[in-house]
Amino acid sequence: MRICRFNDNRLGLVEGNQVKDVTSVLDALPPLTWPVPHGDHFIANLGTLLPLIEKAAASAAAQPLASVKLLSPVANASKVVAAPLNYQLHVDEASNPDINHGVHMPGHDGFATPIDKYGLFLKGATGVVGASEGVEIHWPERRNDHEIELAVIIGEGGKNIAREDAMKHIAGYAIGLDMTVRGTEDRSMRKAADSYSVLGPYLVTADEIADPGNLDFEIRVGNEVRQKSNTNMLICDIPDLIVRASKVYHLYPGDIIMTGTPEGVAEVKAGNVMHCWIDQVGEMDVAVR
């Protein structure tokens, strides 16, 4: 299934170029009491809700996908975990001082991978927006780059997840944009501004994608292809990232793992539109303002 959140927090099932409004299904969510559990309440109950969504869609009103405002399909992620330097050609291009600014240099220094050296990092959950919300540049006097990547959405939470179990913890996938301002600050500041984590256009449930480790993807700005690669080029693959993240953080339903970006990161400015596409996931246009 392709599940979206749209307009005024409506729930939609995307079929072709239409959205079927299945918001009524949300009435089946268990009531919450304080303290509210960590994670996204909808994603935590997704397994129960999927057959209800399918049933509701049979008689639901439909409208063109192009006519709705797409919000992030995850409303309440407890955290966004991101992987730095996880494609070799991006490691190579990061030797450019305009990218590294003398910090987070791309050399491994004897470590097996850049992630073994630098670890994963967190992005602020309040920075997550949907395709239609767009990106607001927070440092207009500095270089702000696009970084497209496959985003993994955790379904079943856990800690110290074994590699052989990792893929069972995935609810689905989406396109992720890890927007980045270049500079000397820590990644968790330069990448965590409001609207600097774009997720969309919807959540594609895990059963729809047989091999997320072999997906073509690209981003264009105007008519120019900026980044183009395949997830088979990941240095640390998806199960590895889940294992590494869950050793440090308890993962909760709706947590987002940004798997890393390939070479071709480049600047965007207000007025640009980023066209993003990942095979079997979808495509989205994201405006910069």
Side-chain angles (χ1 to χ4, degrees), residues 12 28 54 58 61 79 86 112 126 145 160 185 197 211 254 269 281 288:
E54 186 175 14
K79 55 188 164 293
N86 203 22
T126 60
D145 285 7
N160 294 315
E185 301 92 344
S197 297
D211 186 5
K269 295 180 179 292
V281 175
V288 182

Side-chain angles (χ1 to χ4, degrees), residues 113-168:
T113 72
I115 292 175
D116 285 295
K117 179 180 178 180
Y118 295 115
L120 304 173
F121 63 94
L122 293 178
K123 302 187 68 171
T126 60
V128 179
V129 296
S132 298
E133 295 172 276
V135 172
E136 178 185 1
I137 297 295
H138 283 69
W139 291 273
E141 73 286 358
R142 290 164 60 178
R143 174 174 162 174
N144 289 260
D145 285 7
H146 55 70
E147 296 189 3
I148 185 173
E149 38 206 273
L150 179 68
V152 174
I153 300 162
I154 296 297
E156 179 185 348
K159 186 82 187 310
N160 294 315
I161 297 169
R163 180 179 175 87
E164 58 268 26
D165 297 326
M167 301 301 284
K168 302 173 187 175

Side-chain angles (χ1 to χ4, degrees), residues 31-49:
L32 289 173
T33 58
W34 185 86
V36 176
H38 292 295
D40 187 281
H41 191 42
F42 174 77
I43 302 296
N45 291 278
L46 186 60
T48 300
L49 297 176

Side-chain angles (χ1 to χ4, degrees), residues 29-256:
L29 284 170
L32 289 173
T33 58
W34 185 86
V36 176
H38 292 295
D40 187 281
H41 191 42
F42 174 77
I43 302 296
N45 291 278
L46 186 60
T48 300
L49 297 176
L50 285 177
L52 301 181
I53 291 172
E54 186 175 14
K55 182 178 179 180
S59 58
Q63 54 191 304
L65 180 61
S67 71
V68 305
K69 178 181 180 181
L70 289 169
L71 309 174
S72 166
V74 179
N76 297 111
S78 76
K79 55 188 164 293
V80 180
V81 185
L85 299 171
N86 203 22
Y87 286 79
Q88 185 57 52
L89 293 179
H90 179 49
V91 175
D92 296 342
E93 74 175 354
S95 62
N96 181 344
D98 289 338
I99 294 177
N100 65 55
H101 284 262
V103 297
H104 299 305
M105 299 295 286
H108 298 190
D109 296 334
F111 292 88
T113 72
I115 292 175
D116 285 295
K117 179 180 178 180
Y118 295 115
L120 304 173
F121 63 94
L122 293 178
K123 302 187 68 171
T126 60
V128 179
V129 296
S132 298
E133 295 172 276
V135 172
E136 178 185 1
I137 297 295
H138 283 69
W139 291 273
E141 73 286 358
R142 290 164 60 178
R143 174 174 162 174
N144 289 260
D145 285 7
H146 55 70
E147 296 189 3
I148 185 173
E149 38 206 273
L150 179 68
V152 174
I153 300 162
I154 296 297
E156 179 185 348
K159 186 82 187 310
N160 294 315
I161 297 169
R163 180 179 175 87
E164 58 268 26
D165 297 326
M167 301 301 284
K168 302 173 187 175
H169 288 259
I170 298 174
Y173 304 92
I175 301 171
L177 277 176
D178 175 19
M179 302 302 298
T180 304
V181 63
R182 300 302 173 191
T184 59
E185 301 92 344
D186 190 83
R187 285 186 176 93
S188 62
M189 179 174 181
R190 294 186 291 105
K191 293 171 169 278
D194 289 346
S195 81
Y196 273 39
S197 297
V198 186
L199 190 72
Y202 29 71
L203 181 153
V204 180
T205 53
D207 61 296
E208 294 278 330
I209 300 179
D211 186 5
N214 187 25
L215 300 175
D216 289 326
F217 63 99
E218 72 173 30
I219 182 171
R220 289 187 283 108
V221 178
N223 294 320
E224 179 187 2
V225 176
R226 295 281 189 86
Q227 294 179 271
K228 185 179 181 69
S229 191
N230 186 292
T231 53
N232 62 22
M233 301 296 289
L234 285 165
I235 297 173
C236 295
D237 64 10
I238 293 168
D240 188 16
L241 294 174
I242 292 173
V243 169
R244 290 171 185 265
S246 70
K247 284 182 178 179
V248 182
Y249 318 110
H250 190 112
L251 297 179
Y252 291 97
D255 281 356
I256 300 160

